[in-house]
């Protein structure tokens, strides 16, 4: 991307494709990490043991569950954002192609006059 204040910004198809891919890959990596954390916490991690009151343990588990839900939502949103940017790139490319076709058509119409 290029441009400065007041000049606008130039965005290429490659910029959009790269951004979409990067966002999607980041979200996927994040989701994999959250999945591994969830598996560890649910599988082998019980920091409370049998001696701690169940209210404390229940609170810990509730907070952990909610945190994992939020982490997963963040990863999913990142993947969705990547998909959205790739759709934007395709729409941008289509609009650019259509504008070119319209310009050629207009040029032909002007020549006929």
């Amino acid at each position: 991307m290029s441009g400065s204040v007041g000049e606008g910004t130039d965005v290429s198809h490659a910029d959009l494709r790269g951004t979409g891919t990067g966002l999607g890959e980041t979200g996927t990596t994040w989701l994999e990490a959250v999945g591994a954390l969830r598996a560890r916490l649910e599988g082998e991690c019980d920091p409370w043991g049998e001696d701690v009151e169940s209210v404390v343990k229940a609170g810990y588990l509730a907070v952990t569950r909610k945190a994992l839900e939020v982490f997963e939502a963040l990863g999913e949103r990142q993947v969705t954002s990547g998909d959205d940017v790739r759709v934007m790139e395709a729409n941008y490319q289509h609009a650019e192609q259509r504008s070119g076709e319209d310009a050629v058509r207009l040029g032909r119409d002007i020549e006929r006059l």
Side-chain angles (χ1 to χ4, degrees), residues 34-46:
V34 171
L37 176 61
R38 178 184 294 280
R40 181 157 194 282
L41 291 174
E42 291 175 352
E44 63 186 61
C45 186
D46 185 3

Side-chain angles (χ1 to χ4, degrees), residues 27-78:
T28 299
T29 300
W30 180 265
L31 287 170
E32 289 168 356
V34 171
L37 176 61
R38 178 184 294 280
R40 181 157 194 282
L41 291 174
E42 291 175 352
E44 63 186 61
C45 186
D46 185 3
W48 307 108
E50 298 298 323
D51 297 334
V52 177
E53 288 189 34
S54 63
V55 173
V56 173
K57 185 175 181 178
Y60 163 80
L61 293 174
V63 168
T64 300
R65 203 170 313 126
K66 184 61 178 174
L68 289 170
E69 288 172 9
V70 170
F71 295 158
E72 286 175 339
L74 175 64
E76 290 166 358
R77 184 64 197 134
Q78 195 83 10

